[in-house]
Coordinates of all heavy atoms in Angstrom, one line a residue:
M1 N 111.3 107.9 81.3 CA 110.5 108.9 81.9 C 110.6 108.8 83.4 O 110.5 107.7 84.0 CB 109.0 108.7 81.4 CG 108.2 109.9 81.8 SD 106.6 109.9 80.9 CE 105.6 109.3 82.1
K2 N 110.7 109.9 84.1 CA 110.8 109.9 85.6 C 109.4 109.8 86.2 O 108.5 110.5 85.8 CB 111.5 111.1 86.0 CG 113.0 110.9 86.2 CD 113.6 112.1 86.9 CE 114.0 111.9 88.3 NZ 115.0 111.0 88.6
H3 N 109.3 109.0 87.3 CA 108.1 108.9 88.0 C 108.0 110.0 89.0 O 108.9 110.4 89.6 CB 108.0 107.6 88.8 CG 107.8 106.4 88.0 ND1 108.5 106.1 86.9 CD2 107.0 105.3 88.1 CE1 108.1 104.9 86.4 NE2 107.2 104.5 87.1
K4 N 106.8 110.6 89.1 CA 106.5 111.6 90.1 C 105.2 111.3 90.7 O 104.2 111.0 90.0 CB 106.4 113.0 89.5 CG 107.8 113.5 89.0 CD 108.2 114.7 89.7 CE 109.6 115.2 89.2 NZ 110.1 116.3 89.9
Y5 N 105.1 111.4 92.0 CA 103.9 111.1 92.7 C 103.3 112.4 93.2 O 103.7 113.5 92.7 CB 104.1 110.1 93.8 CG 104.6 108.8 93.3 CD1 105.9 108.4 93.5 CD2 103.8 108.0 92.6 CE1 106.4 107.2 93.0 CE2 104.2 106.8 92.1 CZ 105.6 106.4 92.3 OH 106.0 105.2 91.8
L6 N 102.4 112.4 94.1 CA 101.7 113.6 94.6 C 102.8 114.5 95.2 O 103.7 114.1 95.8 CB 100.6 113.3 95.6 CG 99.5 112.5 95.0 CD1 98.5 112.2 96.1 CD2 98.9 113.1 93.8
K7 N 102.5 115.8 95.1 CA 103.5 116.8 95.5 C 103.5 116.9 97.1 O 102.5 117.0 97.7 CB 103.1 118.2 95.0 CG 104.3 118.9 94.3 CD 103.9 120.2 93.6 CE 105.0 121.0 93.3 NZ 106.3 120.4 93.1
N8 N 104.7 116.8 97.6 CA 104.9 117.0 99.1 C 104.1 116.1 100.0 O 103.7 116.5 101.1 CB 104.6 118.5 99.5 CG 105.6 119.4 98.8 OD1 106.7 119.1 98.7 ND2 105.0 120.5 98.4
V9 N 103.9 114.9 99.6 CA 103.2 113.9 100.4 C 104.0 112.8 100.9 O 103.7 112.1 101.9 CB 101.9 113.3 99.8 CG1 100.9 114.4 99.5 CG2 102.2 112.6 98.5
A10 N 105.2 112.6 100.3 CA 106.0 111.4 100.7 C 106.5 111.6 102.1 O 107.0 112.7 102.5 CB 107.2 111.3 99.7
M11 N 106.4 110.6 102.9 CA 106.8 110.6 104.3 C 108.3 110.2 104.4 O 108.6 109.2 105.0 CB 105.9 109.7 105.1 CG 104.4 109.9 105.0 SD 103.9 111.3 106.0 CE 103.8 110.6 107.6
L12 N 109.1 111.0 103.8 CA 110.5 110.6 103.7 C 111.3 111.7 104.4 O 111.1 112.9 104.2 CB 111.0 110.5 102.3 CG 112.4 110.4 102.0 CD1 112.9 109.0 102.4 CD2 112.7 110.6 100.5
D13 N 112.2 111.3 105.3 CA 113.1 112.3 106.0 C 114.5 111.7 106.1 O 114.7 110.5 106.3 CB 112.5 112.6 107.3 CG 113.0 114.0 107.8 OD1 113.6 114.7 107.0 OD2 112.8 114.3 109.0
V14 N 115.5 112.6 106.0 CA 116.9 112.1 106.2 C 117.6 112.9 107.2 O 117.3 114.1 107.4 CB 117.7 112.1 104.8 CG1 117.0 111.2 103.8 CG2 117.8 113.6 104.3
S15 N 118.5 112.3 107.9 CA 119.3 113.0 108.9 C 120.8 113.1 108.4 O 121.5 112.1 108.4 CB 119.3 112.3 110.2 OG 120.3 112.9 111.1
A16 N 121.2 114.3 107.9 CA 122.6 114.4 107.4 C 123.5 114.3 108.6 O 124.7 113.9 108.5 CB 122.7 115.8 106.8
Q17 N 123.0 114.6 109.8 CA 123.9 114.5 111.0 C 124.3 113.0 111.3 O 125.4 112.8 111.6 CB 123.1 115.0 112.2 CG 123.9 115.6 113.3 CD 123.1 116.4 114.3 OE1 121.9 116.2 114.3 NE2 123.7 117.2 115.1
K18 N 123.3 112.1 111.1 CA 123.6 110.7 111.4 C 124.4 110.1 110.2 O 125.1 109.1 110.4 CB 122.3 109.9 111.6 CG 121.6 110.2 112.9 CD 120.4 109.2 113.0 CE 119.6 109.4 114.2 NZ 118.4 108.6 114.2
C19 N 124.2 110.6 109.0 CA 124.7 109.9 107.8 C 126.2 109.9 107.8 O 126.9 110.8 108.1 CB 124.2 110.8 106.6 SG 124.8 110.1 105.0
I20 N 126.7 108.7 107.4 CA 128.2 108.5 107.3 C 128.6 108.5 105.8 O 129.8 108.1 105.5 CB 128.6 107.2 108.0 CG1 127.9 106.0 107.4 CG2 128.4 107.3 109.5 CD1 128.4 104.6 107.9
G21 N 127.7 108.7 104.9 CA 128.1 108.9 103.5 C 128.4 107.6 102.7 O 129.1 107.6 101.7
C22 N 127.9 106.5 103.2 CA 128.2 105.2 102.6 C 127.6 105.0 101.1 O 128.1 104.2 100.3 CB 127.8 104.0 103.4 SG 126.0 103.8 103.5
G23 N 126.6 105.7 100.9 CA 126.0 105.7 99.5 C 125.0 104.5 99.3 O 124.5 104.4 98.2
M24 N 124.8 103.7 100.3 CA 123.9 102.5 100.1 C 122.5 102.9 99.7 O 121.9 102.3 98.8 CB 123.9 101.7 101.4 CG 123.2 100.4 101.3 SD 124.0 99.3 100.1 CE 125.3 98.6 101.1
C25 N 122.0 104.0 100.3 CA 120.6 104.4 100.0 C 120.5 104.8 98.5 O 119.5 104.5 97.9 CB 120.2 105.6 100.9 SG 121.3 107.0 100.9
T26 N 121.5 105.5 98.0 CA 121.4 105.9 96.6 C 121.5 104.7 95.6 O 121.0 104.7 94.5 CB 122.5 106.9 96.2 OG1 123.8 106.3 96.4 CG2 122.5 108.1 97.1
E27 N 122.2 103.6 96.1 CA 122.3 102.4 95.3 C 121.0 101.7 95.2 O 120.7 101.1 94.2 CB 123.3 101.4 96.0 CG 124.8 101.9 96.0 CD 125.4 101.8 94.6 OE1 125.1 100.8 93.9 OE2 126.2 102.7 94.3
V28 N 120.3 101.6 96.3 CA 119.0 100.8 96.3 C 117.8 101.6 95.9 O 116.8 100.9 95.6 CB 118.8 100.2 97.7 CG1 120.0 99.2 98.1 CG2 118.6 101.2 98.8
C29 N 117.8 102.9 95.9 CA 116.6 103.6 95.6 C 116.3 103.4 94.1 O 117.1 103.7 93.2 CB 116.8 105.1 95.8 SG 115.4 106.1 95.4
P30 N 115.1 103.0 93.8 CA 114.7 102.7 92.4 C 114.3 104.0 91.6 O 114.3 103.9 90.4 CB 113.4 101.8 92.6 CG 112.9 102.1 93.9 CD 114.0 102.5 94.8
H31 N 114.2 105.1 92.3 CA 113.7 106.3 91.6 C 114.7 107.5 91.7 O 114.3 108.6 91.5 CB 112.3 106.7 92.1 CG 111.2 105.8 91.6 ND1 109.9 106.0 92.0 CD2 111.3 104.8 90.7 CE1 109.2 105.0 91.3 NE2 110.0 104.3 90.6
D32 N 115.9 107.2 92.2 CA 116.9 108.2 92.2 C 116.5 109.4 93.0 O 116.7 110.6 92.6 CB 117.3 108.6 90.7 CG 118.6 109.3 90.6 OD1 119.5 109.1 91.5 OD2 118.8 110.0 89.6
V33 N 115.9 109.2 94.2 CA 115.4 110.2 95.0 C 116.5 110.9 95.8 O 116.4 112.1 96.1 CB 114.3 109.7 96.0 CG1 113.9 110.7 97.0 CG2 113.2 109.1 95.2
L34 N 117.5 110.1 96.2 CA 118.6 110.6 97.1 C 119.9 110.9 96.4 O 120.2 110.3 95.4 CB 118.7 109.6 98.2 CG 117.5 109.2 99.0 CD1 117.6 108.0 99.8 CD2 117.0 110.4 99.9
C35 N 120.7 111.7 97.0 CA 122.0 111.9 96.5 C 123.0 112.2 97.7 O 122.5 112.4 98.8 CB 122.1 113.0 95.5 SG 121.7 114.6 96.1
I36 N 124.3 112.1 97.4 CA 125.3 112.3 98.4 C 126.0 113.6 98.0 O 126.5 113.7 96.9 CB 126.3 111.2 98.6 CG1 125.6 109.8 98.7 CG2 127.3 111.5 99.7 CD1 124.8 109.7 100.0
V37 N 126.0 114.6 98.9 CA 126.7 115.8 98.7 C 127.6 116.1 99.9 O 127.2 116.0 101.0 CB 125.7 117.0 98.5 CG1 126.5 118.3 98.4 CG2 124.8 116.8 97.3
D38 N 128.9 116.3 99.6 CA 129.9 116.4 100.7 C 129.8 115.3 101.7 O 129.8 115.6 102.9 CB 129.7 117.8 101.4 CG 130.0 119.0 100.5 OD1 130.8 118.7 99.5 OD2 129.5 120.1 100.7
N39 N 129.6 114.1 101.2 CA 129.6 112.9 102.1 C 128.4 112.8 103.0 O 128.4 112.1 104.0 CB 130.9 112.8 102.9 CG 131.4 111.4 103.0 OD1 131.2 110.6 102.1 ND2 132.0 111.1 104.1
K40 N 127.3 113.5 102.6 CA 126.1 113.5 103.4 C 124.9 113.3 102.5 O 124.9 113.8 101.4 CB 125.9 114.8 104.2 CG 127.0 115.0 105.2 CD 126.8 114.1 106.4 CE 127.8 114.3 107.5 NZ 127.8 113.3 108.6
V41 N 123.9 112.5 103.0 CA 122.7 112.3 102.1 C 121.9 113.5 102.0 O 121.8 114.4 102.9 CB 121.9 111.1 102.8 CG1 121.3 111.5 104.1 CG2 120.8 110.7 101.8
Q42 N 121.3 113.7 100.8 CA 120.3 114.8 100.6 C 119.1 114.2 99.8 O 119.3 113.3 99.0 CB 120.9 115.9 99.8 CG 121.8 116.8 100.7 CD 122.2 118.1 99.9 OE1 121.8 118.3 98.8 NE2 123.2 118.8 100.5
I43 N 118.0 114.8 100.0 CA 116.8 114.4 99.1 C 116.9 115.4 97.9 O 116.9 116.6 98.1 CB 115.5 114.6 99.9 CG1 115.5 113.7 101.1 CG2 114.3 114.3 99.0 CD1 114.3 114.0 102.0
K44 N 116.9 114.8 96.7 CA 116.9 115.7 95.5 C 115.6 115.6 94.8 O 115.3 116.6 94.1 CB 118.1 115.3 94.6 CG 118.0 114.0 93.9 CD 119.1 113.8 92.9 CE 119.1 112.5 92.3 NZ 120.2 112.2 91.3
E45 N 114.8 114.6 94.9 CA 113.5 114.5 94.2 C 112.5 113.8 95.1 O 112.1 112.7 94.9 CB 113.7 113.6 92.9 CG 114.4 114.3 91.8 CD 113.6 115.2 91.0 OE1 112.4 115.4 91.3 OE2 114.1 115.9 90.1
K46 N 112.0 114.6 96.1 CA 111.1 114.0 97.1 C 109.8 113.5 96.4 O 109.3 112.4 96.8 CB 110.8 115.0 98.2 CG 110.1 114.4 99.4 CD 110.0 115.3 100.5 CE 109.5 114.6 101.8 NZ 109.6 115.4 103.0
D47 N 109.3 114.2 95.4 CA 108.1 113.7 94.8 C 108.2 112.5 94.0 O 107.2 112.0 93.5 CB 107.5 114.9 94.0 CG 107.1 116.1 94.8 OD1 106.9 115.9 96.1 OD2 107.1 117.2 94.3
S48 N 109.4 112.0 93.8 CA 109.6 110.8 93.1 C 109.7 109.6 94.0 O 109.7 108.4 93.6 CB 111.0 110.8 92.3 OG 110.9 111.8 91.3
C49 N 109.6 109.8 95.3 CA 109.7 108.7 96.3 C 108.4 107.9 96.3 O 107.3 108.5 96.4 CB 110.0 109.3 97.7 SG 110.0 108.1 99.0
M50 N 108.5 106.6 96.2 CA 107.3 105.8 96.3 C 107.2 105.1 97.6 O 106.4 104.2 97.8 CB 107.4 104.7 95.2 CG 108.6 103.8 95.4 SD 108.9 102.6 94.0 CE 107.6 101.4 94.3
E51 N 107.9 105.6 98.6 CA 107.8 105.1 100.0 C 108.0 103.6 100.1 O 107.3 102.9 100.8 CB 106.5 105.6 100.6 CG 106.4 107.1 100.7 CD 105.1 107.6 101.2 OE1 104.1 106.9 100.9 OE2 105.0 108.5 102.0
C52 N 108.9 103.1 99.3 CA 109.2 101.6 99.4 C 109.9 101.2 100.6 O 109.9 100.0 101.0 CB 109.9 101.2 98.1 SG 111.6 101.8 98.0
G53 N 110.7 102.1 101.2 CA 111.4 101.8 102.4 C 112.8 101.2 102.2 O 113.5 100.9 103.2
A54 N 113.2 100.9 101.0 CA 114.5 100.3 100.7 C 115.7 101.1 101.3 O 116.6 100.5 101.8 CB 114.7 100.0 99.2
C55 N 115.6 102.3 101.1 CA 116.7 103.2 101.6 C 116.9 103.1 103.1 O 118.0 102.8 103.6 CB 116.5 104.6 101.2 SG 114.9 105.3 101.7
A56 N 115.8 103.2 103.8 CA 115.8 103.1 105.3 C 116.3 101.7 105.8 O 117.1 101.6 106.7 CB 114.5 103.5 105.9
M57 N 115.8 100.7 105.1 CA 116.1 99.3 105.5 C 117.6 99.1 105.3 O 118.2 98.3 106.0 CB 115.3 98.4 104.6 CG 115.1 97.0 105.2 SD 114.1 96.0 104.1 CE 112.6 97.0 103.9
N58 N 118.2 99.7 104.3 CA 119.7 99.5 104.0 C 120.6 100.5 104.6 O 121.8 100.3 104.5 CB 119.9 99.4 102.5 CG 119.3 98.1 101.9 OD1 120.0 97.1 102.0 ND2 118.1 98.2 101.4
C59 N 120.1 101.4 105.3 CA 121.0 102.4 106.0 C 121.6 101.8 107.3 O 120.8 101.5 108.2 CB 120.2 103.7 106.3 SG 121.3 104.9 107.1
P60 N 122.9 101.8 107.4 CA 123.5 101.2 108.6 C 123.4 102.0 109.8 O 123.7 101.5 110.9 CB 125.0 101.0 108.1 CG 125.2 102.0 107.1 CD 123.9 102.2 106.4
V61 N 123.1 103.3 109.7 CA 123.1 104.2 110.9 C 121.7 104.8 111.2 O 121.6 105.8 111.9 CB 124.1 105.3 110.8 CG1 125.5 104.7 110.8 CG2 123.9 106.1 109.5
D62 N 120.7 104.2 110.5 CA 119.3 104.7 110.8 C 119.1 106.2 110.5 O 118.5 106.9 111.3 CB 119.0 104.4 112.3 CG 117.5 104.2 112.5 OD1 116.7 104.0 111.5 OD2 117.0 104.4 113.6
A63 N 119.7 106.7 109.4 CA 119.6 108.1 109.1 C 118.4 108.4 108.2 O 118.3 109.6 107.9 CB 120.9 108.5 108.4
I64 N 117.6 107.5 107.9 CA 116.5 107.7 107.0 C 115.2 107.2 107.6 O 115.2 106.1 108.1 CB 116.7 107.0 105.6 CG1 118.0 107.5 104.9 CG2 115.5 107.3 104.7 CD1 118.3 106.8 103.6
S65 N 114.2 108.0 107.6 CA 112.9 107.5 108.0 C 111.9 107.7 106.9 O 111.9 108.7 106.2 CB 112.5 108.2 109.3 OG 112.2 109.6 109.0
V66 N 111.1 106.6 106.7 CA 110.1 106.7 105.7 C 109.0 105.7 106.1 O 109.3 104.6 106.6 CB 110.7 106.3 104.3 CG1 111.2 104.9 104.3 CG2 109.6 106.4 103.2
D67 N 107.8 106.2 106.0 CA 106.6 105.4 106.4 C 106.3 104.5 105.2 O 105.5 104.9 104.3 CB 105.4 106.3 106.7 CG 105.1 106.2 108.1 OD1 105.4 105.2 108.8 OD2 104.4 107.1 108.6
A68 N 106.9 103.3 105.1 CA 106.7 102.5 103.9 C 105.3 101.9 103.9 O 104.8 101.3 104.9 CB 107.7 101.4 104.0
S69 N 104.6 102.1 102.8 CA 103.4 101.4 102.5 C 102.2 101.8 103.5 O 101.4 101.0 103.8 CB 103.5 99.9 102.5 OG 104.4 99.5 101.5
V70 N 102.2 103.0 103.9 CA 101.1 103.5 104.7 C 100.7 104.8 104.2 O 101.4 105.5 103.5 CB 101.4 103.6 106.2 CG1 101.8 102.2 106.8 CG2 102.6 104.6 106.4
G71 N 99.5 105.2 104.6 CA 99.0 106.6 104.3 C 98.3 106.7 103.0 O 98.2 105.8 102.2
C72 N 97.9 108.0 102.7 CA 97.1 108.3 101.6 C 97.9 108.1 100.3 O 97.4 107.7 99.3 CB 96.6 109.7 101.7 SG 95.5 110.0 103.0
A73 N 99.2 108.5 100.3 CA 100.0 108.3 99.1 C 100.1 106.9 98.6 O 99.9 106.6 97.5 CB 101.5 108.8 99.4
A74 N 100.3 106.0 99.6 CA 100.3 104.6 99.3 C 99.0 104.1 98.7 O 98.9 103.3 97.8 CB 100.7 103.7 100.5
A75 N 97.9 104.6 99.3 CA 96.6 104.2 98.9 C 96.3 104.7 97.5 O 95.8 103.9 96.7 CB 95.5 104.8 99.9
I76 N 96.7 105.9 97.2 CA 96.5 106.4 95.8 C 97.3 105.6 94.8 O 96.8 105.3 93.7 CB 96.8 107.9 95.8 CG1 95.7 108.7 96.6 CG2 96.9 108.4 94.4 CD1 96.1 110.1 96.9
I77 N 98.6 105.4 95.2 CA 99.4 104.6 94.2 C 98.8 103.2 94.0 O 98.8 102.7 92.9 CB 100.9 104.5 94.8 CG1 101.5 105.9 94.8 CG2 101.7 103.6 94.0 CD1 102.7 106.1 95.7
K78 N 98.4 102.6 95.1 CA 97.8 101.3 94.9 C 96.6 101.3 94.1 O 96.3 100.5 93.2 CB 97.4 100.7 96.3 CG 97.0 99.3 96.3 CD 96.8 98.8 97.7 CE 96.1 97.4 97.7 NZ 95.4 97.1 98.9
G79 N 95.8 102.4 94.2 CA 94.6 102.6 93.4 C 95.0 102.7 91.9 O 94.3 102.1 91.0
W80 N 96.0 103.5 91.6 CA 96.5 103.6 90.2 C 96.9 102.3 89.7 O 96.6 101.9 88.5 CB 97.7 104.6 90.2 CG 97.4 106.0 90.4 CD1 96.2 106.6 90.2 CD2 98.3 107.0 90.7 NE1 96.3 108.0 90.5 CE2 97.6 108.3 90.8 CE3 99.7 107.0 91.0 CZ2 98.2 109.5 91.1 CZ3 100.3 108.2 91.3 CH2 99.6 109.4 91.3
L81 N 97.7 101.5 90.5 CA 98.2 100.3 90.0 C 97.2 99.2 89.8 O 97.2 98.4 88.9 CB 99.3 99.8 91.0 CG 100.6 100.6 91.1 CD1 101.5 100.1 92.1 CD2 101.3 100.7 89.7
T82 N 96.2 99.2 90.7 CA 95.2 98.1 90.6 C 93.9 98.5 89.9 O 93.0 97.7 89.6 CB 94.8 97.6 92.0 OG1 94.2 98.7 92.8 CG2 96.0 97.1 92.8
G83 N 93.7 99.8 89.6 CA 92.5 100.3 89.0 C 91.3 100.4 90.0 O 90.2 100.5 89.5
S84 N 91.6 100.3 91.3 CA 90.5 100.3 92.3 C 90.4 101.7 92.9 O 91.3 102.5 92.7 CB 90.8 99.3 93.4 OG 92.0 99.6 94.0
E85 N 89.4 101.9 93.7 CA 89.2 103.1 94.4 C 90.2 103.3 95.5 O 90.4 102.4 96.3 CB 87.8 103.1 95.0 CG 86.7 103.7 94.2 CD 86.9 105.2 93.8 OE1 87.2 106.0 94.7 OE2 86.9 105.4 92.6
P86 N 91.0 104.4 95.5 CA 92.0 104.5 96.6 C 91.3 104.7 97.9 O 90.4 105.5 98.0 CB 92.7 105.8 96.2 CG 92.2 106.2 94.9 CD 90.9 105.5 94.6
S87 N 91.8 104.0 98.9 CA 91.3 104.2 100.3 C 92.4 103.8 101.2 O 93.0 102.8 101.2 CB 90.1 103.3 100.5 OG 89.7 103.4 101.9
C88 N 92.7 104.7 102.2 CA 93.7 104.4 103.2 C 93.0 104.2 104.6 O 93.7 104.0 105.5 CB 94.7 105.5 103.3 SG 93.9 107.1 103.8
D89 N 91.7 104.2 104.6 CA 90.9 103.9 105.8 C 91.3 104.8 107.0 O 91.3 104.4 108.1 CB 91.1 102.4 106.2 CG 90.6 101.5 105.2 OD1 89.6 101.8 104.6 OD2 91.2 100.4 105.0
C90 N 91.7 106.0 106.7 CA 92.1 106.9 107.8 C 90.9 107.8 108.3 O 91.1 108.6 109.1 CB 93.3 107.8 107.5 SG 93.0 108.9 106.1
S91 N 89.8 107.6 107.7 CA 88.6 108.3 108.2 C 87.5 107.3 108.4 O 87.5 106.2 107.8 CB 88.1 109.4 107.2 OG 87.8 108.8 106.0
D92 N 86.5 107.6 109.2 CA 85.5 106.7 109.5 C 84.5 106.5 108.4 O 83.9 107.4 107.9 CB 84.7 107.2 110.7 CG 85.4 107.1 112.0 OD1 86.4 106.3 112.0 OD2 85.1 107.7 113.0
G93 N 84.4 105.3 108.0 CA 83.4 104.8 107.0 C 83.6 105.3 105.6 O 82.7 105.3 104.8
G94 N 84.7 105.9 105.2 CA 84.8 106.3 103.8 C 86.2 106.6 103.4 O 87.2 106.5 104.2
S95 N 86.4 106.9 102.1 CA 87.7 107.2 101.6 C 88.0 108.7 101.7 O 87.1 109.5 101.6 CB 87.7 106.8 100.1 OG 88.8 107.4 99.5
C96 N 89.2 109.0 102.1 CA 89.6 110.4 102.2 C 90.5 110.8 101.0 O 91.0 111.9 101.0 CB 90.3 110.6 103.5 SG 91.9 109.8 103.6
C97 N 90.8 109.8 100.2 CA 91.8 110.1 99.1 C 91.1 110.5 97.8 O 90.0 110.0 97.5 CB 92.6 108.8 98.8 SG 93.5 108.3 100.3
Ligands
SF4_1 S1 111.6 105.0 100.1 FE1 112.2 103.9 98.2 S2 111.7 105.4 96.6 FE2 111.8 106.6 98.5 S3 113.8 107.4 98.7 FE3 113.7 105.4 99.8 S4 114.4 103.8 98.3 FE4 113.9 105.7 97.1
SF4_2 S1 122.6 104.6 103.6 FE1 122.5 106.0 105.4 S2 124.6 106.4 106.0 FE2 124.6 105.6 103.9 S3 124.6 107.4 102.6 FE3 122.5 106.8 102.9 S4 121.7 107.9 104.7 FE4 124.0 108.0 104.7

C-alpha cells in the first residue's frame, strides 16, 4: 500500500535546471516520490513525501530542497506514529495542527 500524507503540505522542491540526471534521489527515496524524465528530476507523488531529506542529502548538485523534520506535517506524522497530540510549536502557547 502506498503512503500518502496531507495534501500539498510537503516542503519539497526540485530544480530541473540544476539536475544532472544521476538518479541518486530516486534510489534513496523510500516512497518513490521522484522520477527522472528526459534526464531531469520530477516530482511524481508529492503527497507521498515524508520530508526525510534523503534525496536532498544525496543530491550532488543541490537540486532538491526539503525542510526535513520541521513544520506541521512532521508534527502530525510524529503524532500518528507516537499516538501523541501533534504540535509543531509554531503558535504561541498551543497546537496549530
Ligand atoms: S524527502 Fe524523503 S520521502 Fe521526500 S522525496 Fe526526498 S527522499 Fe523521498
Ligand atoms: S540526485 Fe540531484 S542531480 Fe541526481 S537526479 Fe536527483 S535531483 Fe538530479
Side-chain angles (χ1 to χ4, degrees):
M1 193 166 100
K2 265 187 107 68
H3 286 48
K4 290 243 179 180
Y5 298 108
L6 298 180
K7 232 175 164 28
N8 296 322
V9 297
M11 306 282 282
L12 172 71
D13 202 12
V14 298
S15 167
Q17 208 168 15
K18 287 185 183 174
C19 177
I20 57 172
C22 70
M24 189 61 82
C25 54
T26 61
E27 293 286 324
V28 299
C29 178
H31 286 175
D32 201 22
V33 173
L34 304 165
C35 63
I36 308 294
V37 177
D38 292 335
N39 222 30
K40 295 289 181 185
V41 66
Q42 281 188 9
I43 299 172
K44 67 174 178 181
E45 286 282 357
K46 192 167 188 172
D47 295 338
S48 296
C49 177
M50 62 188 284
E51 298 176 322
C52 68
C55 53
M57 206 179 302
N58 286 280
C59 177
V61 293
D62 205 20
I64 303 176
S65 64
V66 59
D67 246 341
S69 300
V70 295
C72 296
I76 290 169
I77 292 164
K78 190 175 169 205
W80 286 342
L81 294 175
T82 62
S84 62
E85 269 300 306
S87 172
C88 61
D89 298 325
C90 65
S91 60
D92 286 342
S95 165
C96 65
C97 302

